[in-house]
Amino acid sequence: MDSDCDIDIDLDLGTAVRVTSTSDESVSSDPDCVVVSESSATVSDRVPTVLYTDEDPTDVDSPERFDAYVPRGDLDALEAQIRWVLSRHTTDAPSGRDRLKRLYEGTTTLITAETVDELYDRAIDLAEHILEFDNTSLLIHEDDGFYIRANDRGMEGTGPIPTDTGILGRTYRTQRSHLVDDVRDHPTAQPEDPAYRSVVSVPLGETGVFQAISNEVGAYDQTDLRLAELLVSYVSETRARIETETAMRHSREQIERLHHGATELAAATSLAELFERTVEITDDILDFHLSYIGVVEGDEIIPTAISSDAPEDGAERVSIEDGGTAAKTYQTGETQLVSDIASDADAKPVKRTYRSGLSVPIDDIAVFQAASYVPNAFDETDVELTELLMAHVAVTADRISAETNLREERDRSSALFSHVSDAAVAYDVEDGCVTVRDVNLAFEEIFGYDADDVVGTDLLGSIVPPESDSDTDDADADGDEDLPELCVATGERYRGEVRRCTGDGVREFILNVVPLSPGEERGSGYAIYTDITERKVREDELKRQNERLEEFSNIVSHDLRNPLSIAHGNLELARETGADERFDTAAAALEQMEALIDDLLSLARRGQLVDETKPVNLESVARRAWTTTETADATLTTPENVVLDADKDRLGELLANLFRNAVEHGGEGVHVDVGGIDGGFYVQDDGPGIEPDRRDDVFEPGETTGDDGIGYGLAIVESIADAHGWSAIVTSGTEGGARFEFRG
């Protein structure tokens, strides 16, 4: 075979095919096939030619000059086309052409094979009756060697044959075909039968090897090899198609069975029954044999249903706070796929033998978990199918809960309905209009409508805010058609957050819509509105508090630094002078640190910046704060008979920070004055003061002009003032220094 282009890879064309360049003058005979890279190349009518090029097919002049066109880079297509040309060339003899024709005709039997085993049997039949081969076999490679999968002498199942054995192993390892005239002359041949003489051996990709063996020397030639390779190529392509279709069919059947199983879940009448059926489905359809469902009760996840094949102690109740993967699944509401439990920091398996796992949330009521004794037992397909099933389970659980609630509601008297703590409405839906049948006392109180004024009227027209005032999904460009209250018309239930108009304005609610007859189009039901407006406000406040967490930690470190410095300094002086009063001062500083730490723990537990307030004497608190602060030669003036309603410890902390700020910026001889004003108190010094353009910034965390401060003292001051409900402003003192005024 000649080529005028650079084929820079190895083409698996067999040992009898020589690939040369057109510039190789040592080759005198005409080639069997020519590969050219340019359509302008001279083409012989006598030699089959393949155009292997980057050129677009539409740009090729007289494309009929070429026997095949292959885009450059598609090496599989190039090899296939060359094989076809060589097969035609080597089968020019009448017998070769006849066998080739009959092989093509026989490939229809391969194409119609429905299983791989059927395909292999038909391939062996073609090799025996059309290609006229002796002793043909398809040997499939498995972990421990080769096994005869199909054979014309009934040797199926023979094996294992070692992978490194003779021509068989060489063909598989090199992925190249072999034609041997006499195995006795071949260096690696190790025939199983000493009567074997010649062999055709063709690789079947990574799957195995096709072989035809004869007891005669030279029983096979190049034509036989080409025909065998052609047959194997058909087998490979058909096997790939069968395996793909089988996988797709299995997946489709699995999904259909899963859908059928999920449909059966609808018959469950209790959550316990629902979860038992769910585990049975995962065992039967998804082939999970170590799985369970844990229901969330309080602060624990408690096993409710477990696989029949699982050990009795295969699951246990775990804490939501520290329950490994199950707890993480519930807390995040996200699926967890653990490929190797041993290397997963969050995993806390009940049994050490569990190596991989899959954990899927079921709404906010339960968690499904599957485990395996081997790593990587679950893949993305398992995740998708399990999530699909658990979505059905969640919907069914919601339906069961709704039906249970409805049955309970039907059993209640009208008096009980009237005293439900949340606003409740009984209503009918007809032609998109909600007509009120009854409301309870809570509805009257929360929404501000008397029952006599709303019974018999259109509820939605009264309580649904205009679209411009609503940012939820229950009001959109389509008008009222998608409002959740209307879903009872089709027997559906709803739970979600909505905004509704009350006498006090628009408020936030969790709306539960429960049809009177679930699944039936009766158009009657109940709407229960749970007011969550205050909760939303608390959530927003919690978010803001969390954002201040880092600031808070810096504040703590700042407040602990000063008494720690005092303790260190006085201990050094005590060591040098032996003065006992230095120990007293150090002990007082340490007591202050202990109080700060206790306050920190209290704050972390309760989320409060101040404790209970009560009347305190400003002079007493100021004097105590002065003694626990490094004030050098600074002096203090305090008021008499000024009483504030405050948390004494927090007030002392506020004053200590102001004293420290005065000394840091006013010098060691600064004078500090504390006094009362109308509605509050002030602290001022005779230091350099604060420039007017900086007074709005001094309370910002990290803001400082000192050399050794960290800029949190005044931020602490403002935080404590805010917690007391005091305003804090900065102005100029009577002596020109800084003056801080607090009013509440």
Side-chain angles (χ1 to χ4, degrees):
M1 186 192 79
D2 280 358
S3 170
D4 73 344
C5 57
D6 180 18
I7 302 176
D8 54 359
I9 55 89
D10 291 332
L11 291 176
D12 186 11
L13 301 174
T15 58
V17 179
R18 180 181 180 189
V19 180
T20 63
S21 171
T22 55
S23 61
D24 189 350
E25 297 179 355
S26 65
V27 181
S28 58
S29 60
D30 290 334
D32 296 328
C33 173
V34 171
V35 179
V36 297
S37 60
E38 296 181 359
S39 61
S40 60
T42 301
V43 177
S44 172
D45 294 336
R46 296 181 295 103
V47 180
T49 305
V50 177
L51 177 59
Y52 179 62
T53 182
D54 293 325
E55 299 178 43
D56 190 281
T58 59
D59 297 333
V60 177
D61 293 332
S62 303
E64 67 277 2
R65 295 179 298 133
F66 303 100
D67 292 84
Y69 167 84
V70 179
R72 191 174 184 89
D74 191 347
L75 298 172
D76 291 337
L78 177 61
E79 184 175 321
Q81 292 298 335
I82 294 174
R83 285 183 180 279
W84 166 240
V85 170
L86 293 175
S87 296
R88 291 177 57 191
H89 178 78
T90 57
T91 56
D92 281 344
S95 61
R97 288 196 300 270
D98 180 63
R99 293 167 70 199
L100 179 61
K101 178 181 178 182
R102 288 193 294 139
L103 177 60
Y104 275 121
E105 293 172 349
T107 56
T108 57
T109 64
L110 299 180
I111 296 173
T112 57
E114 296 183 357
T115 67
V116 173
D117 286 337
E118 183 180 358
L119 169 67
Y120 290 162
D121 289 338
R122 292 184 180 185
I124 293 299
D125 187 65
L126 289 179
E128 179 183 6
H129 296 99
I130 294 179
L131 302 186
E132 301 172 356
F133 289 170
D134 298 328
N135 192 10
T136 54
S137 302
L138 275 167
L139 300 101
I140 304 305
H141 182 263
E142 297 182 5
D143 293 336
D144 56 347
F146 293 97
Y147 288 83
I148 297 179
R149 187 77 165 267
N151 177 262
D152 60 2
R153 297 188 179 183
M155 299 174 61
E156 291 84 352
T158 301
I161 302 171
T163 305
D164 57 355
T165 297
I167 297 173
L168 173 63
R170 183 181 181 87
T171 302
Y172 183 76
R173 292 193 306 274
T174 63
Q175 288 294 298
R176 291 183 176 276
S177 300
H178 289 76
L179 174 62
V180 179
D181 290 333
D182 191 339
V183 296
R184 294 174 297 183
D185 299 332
H186 196 280
T188 61
Q190 299 178 30
E192 181 180 350
D193 189 330
Y196 292 165
R197 289 295 179 266
S198 54
V199 62
V200 169
S201 187
V202 180
L204 188 63
E206 296 296 326
T207 303
V209 173
F210 167 84
Q211 283 194 332
I213 302 173
S214 175
N215 293 344
E216 298 180 6
V217 174
Y220 304 110
D221 57 17
Q222 287 294 327
T223 297
D224 294 318
L225 179 61
R226 297 288 173 259
L227 292 173
E229 290 177 335
L230 197 56
L231 173 62
V232 168
S233 68
Y234 288 135
V235 172
S236 296
E237 293 172 4
T238 306
R239 186 193 68 248
R241 187 263 303 166
I242 291 174
E243 290 174 345
T244 300
E245 291 178 353
T246 300
M248 292 178 62
R249 183 166 56 253
H250 174 72
S251 177
R252 183 168 56 251
E253 291 173 352
Q254 191 177 42
I255 292 174
E256 290 175 354
R257 293 176 61 206
L258 190 64
H259 176 72
H260 178 71
T263 303
E264 292 181 345
L265 294 177
T269 58
S270 68
L271 291 179
E273 180 185 1
L274 170 65
F275 295 149
E276 287 288 349
R277 291 190 179 187
T278 299
V279 171
E280 290 174 1
I281 289 173
T282 59
D283 287 352
D284 180 43
I285 299 176
L286 300 182
D287 295 327
F288 298 165
H289 302 300
L290 296 171
S291 59
Y292 88 100
I293 290 178
V295 175
V296 177
E297 293 185 9
D299 58 355
E300 290 185 316
I301 301 175
I302 302 175
T304 300
I306 191 167
S307 300
S308 59
D309 292 340
E312 293 184 0
D313 58 349
E316 63 182 16
R317 63 172 60 201
V318 297
S319 166
I320 291 178
E321 294 298 324
D322 189 27
T325 304
K328 183 177 180 181
T329 302
Y330 175 74
Q331 291 173 340
T332 64
E334 299 177 352
T335 296
Q336 308 294 322
L337 177 60
V338 182
S339 299
D340 190 346
I341 289 176
S343 61
D344 190 285
D346 295 322
K348 296 181 178 180
V350 174
K351 288 187 168 296
R352 294 181 179 274
T353 50
Y354 291 166
R355 293 300 307 279
S356 58
L358 174 60
S359 186
V360 180
I362 303 176
D363 204 359
D364 58 353
I365 61 173
V367 174
F368 169 84
Q369 284 201 301
S372 175
Y373 295 126
V374 297
N376 302 300
F378 306 98
D379 56 22
E380 291 300 327
T381 299
D382 294 322
V383 170
E384 293 175 3
L385 293 178
T386 306
E387 288 179 337
L388 177 63
L389 177 61
M390 296 310 144
H392 283 283
V393 173
V395 171
T396 304
D398 283 344
R399 188 264 303 164
I400 291 174
S401 298
E403 291 178 351
T404 301
N405 293 338
L406 181 57
R407 285 193 298 270
E408 294 173 353
E409 184 66 25
R410 285 173 174 173
D411 293 339
R412 294 189 181 101
S413 65
S414 58
L416 181 59
F417 171 81
S418 299
H419 291 87
V420 172
S421 60
D422 294 326
V425 181
Y427 64 97
D428 300 320
V429 176
E430 185 175 358
D431 298 329
C433 179
V434 173
T435 303
V436 177
R437 288 188 284 109
D438 195 9
V439 298
N440 67 348
L441 294 176
F443 180 89
E444 293 181 291
E445 295 173 356
I446 295 173
F447 281 84
Y449 298 107
D450 291 336
D452 294 339
D453 295 333
V454 295
V455 171
T457 66
D458 179 7
L459 174 69
L460 300 182
S462 303
I463 67 172
V464 175
E467 180 181 348
S468 59
D469 295 335
S470 178
D471 56 2
T472 57
D473 294 337
D474 62 313
D476 55 25
D478 295 331
D480 293 341
E481 295 181 359
D482 295 328
L483 290 173
E485 285 91 342
L486 300 178
C487 69
V488 297
T490 55
E492 300 176 9
R493 70 184 305 274
Y494 173 86
R495 176 181 173 86
E497 294 185 10
V498 298
R499 305 178 75 238
R500 293 292 180 259
C501 294
T502 71
D504 296 330
V506 177
R507 297 182 69 82
E508 304 277 350
F509 295 93
I510 291 179
L511 169 61
N512 277 284
V513 175
V514 183
L516 189 62
S517 300
E520 300 180 13
E521 297 185 1
R522 292 186 55 182
S524 298
Y526 299 88
I528 301 174
Y529 299 87
T530 303
D531 192 345
I532 58 171
T533 306
E534 300 303 324
R535 191 190 78 184
K536 286 284 190 179
V537 172
R538 290 195 299 271
E539 289 176 352
D540 292 340
E541 177 60 26
L542 179 61
K543 181 179 179 180
R544 289 192 294 271
Q545 289 181 2
N546 289 337
E547 291 173 350
R548 294 199 299 266
L549 180 60
E550 182 177 358
E551 174 187 345
F552 173 76
S553 63
N554 286 324
I555 289 174
V556 171
S557 66
H558 178 272
D559 277 1
L560 289 175
R561 183 183 62 174
N562 187 65
L564 183 62
S565 298
I566 292 175
H568 277 303
N570 280 276
L571 288 174
E572 287 292 332
L573 290 173
R575 185 178 291 110
E576 295 173 0
T577 64
D580 291 343
E581 61 271 15
R582 295 298 180 182
F583 291 109
D584 294 337
T585 304
L590 292 174
E591 288 175 359
Q592 183 185 14
M593 290 177 61
E594 183 177 9
L596 286 173
I597 292 173
D598 289 341
D599 290 343
L600 169 61
L601 294 175
S602 176
L603 175 58
R605 295 189 183 105
R606 300 195 306 269
Q608 300 175 184
L609 192 58
V610 299
D611 210 332
E612 181 180 357
T613 61
K614 58 184 178 180
V616 297
N617 184 278
L618 179 61
E619 178 184 19
S620 174
V621 176
R623 288 294 177 186
R624 178 177 175 82
W626 185 264
T627 61
T628 58
T629 304
E630 288 188 351
T631 55
D633 296 328
T635 56
L636 173 70
T637 300
T638 57
E640 296 181 359
N641 301 322
V642 175
V643 177
L644 302 173
D645 189 37
D647 179 330
K648 182 174 67 175
D649 292 336
R650 296 283 79 76
L651 176 60
E653 187 178 349
L654 179 150
L655 293 171
N657 276 285
L658 290 175
F659 296 160
R660 186 160 52 249
N661 183 74
V663 174
E664 288 178 355
H665 296 89
E668 296 182 352
V670 70
H671 177 71
V672 179
D673 180 28
V674 179
I677 57 177
D678 185 22
F681 66 99
Y682 70 86
V683 178
Q684 66 180 12
D685 60 57
D686 59 358
I690 300 173
E691 296 83 353
D693 60 352
R694 290 192 62 250
R695 291 173 183 173
D696 292 337
D697 301 329
V698 295
F699 291 119
E700 293 296 325
E703 179 68 24
T704 180
T705 59
D707 294 333
D708 57 354
I710 65 172
Y712 280 93
L714 295 183
I716 296 172
V717 169
E718 185 181 45
S719 297
I720 296 174
D722 287 344
H724 281 87
W726 300 334
S727 64
I729 64 171
V730 184
T731 183
S732 295
T734 56
E735 300 297 326
R739 178 184 175 95
F740 296 85
E741 295 182 354
F742 303 89
R743 289 183 172 87

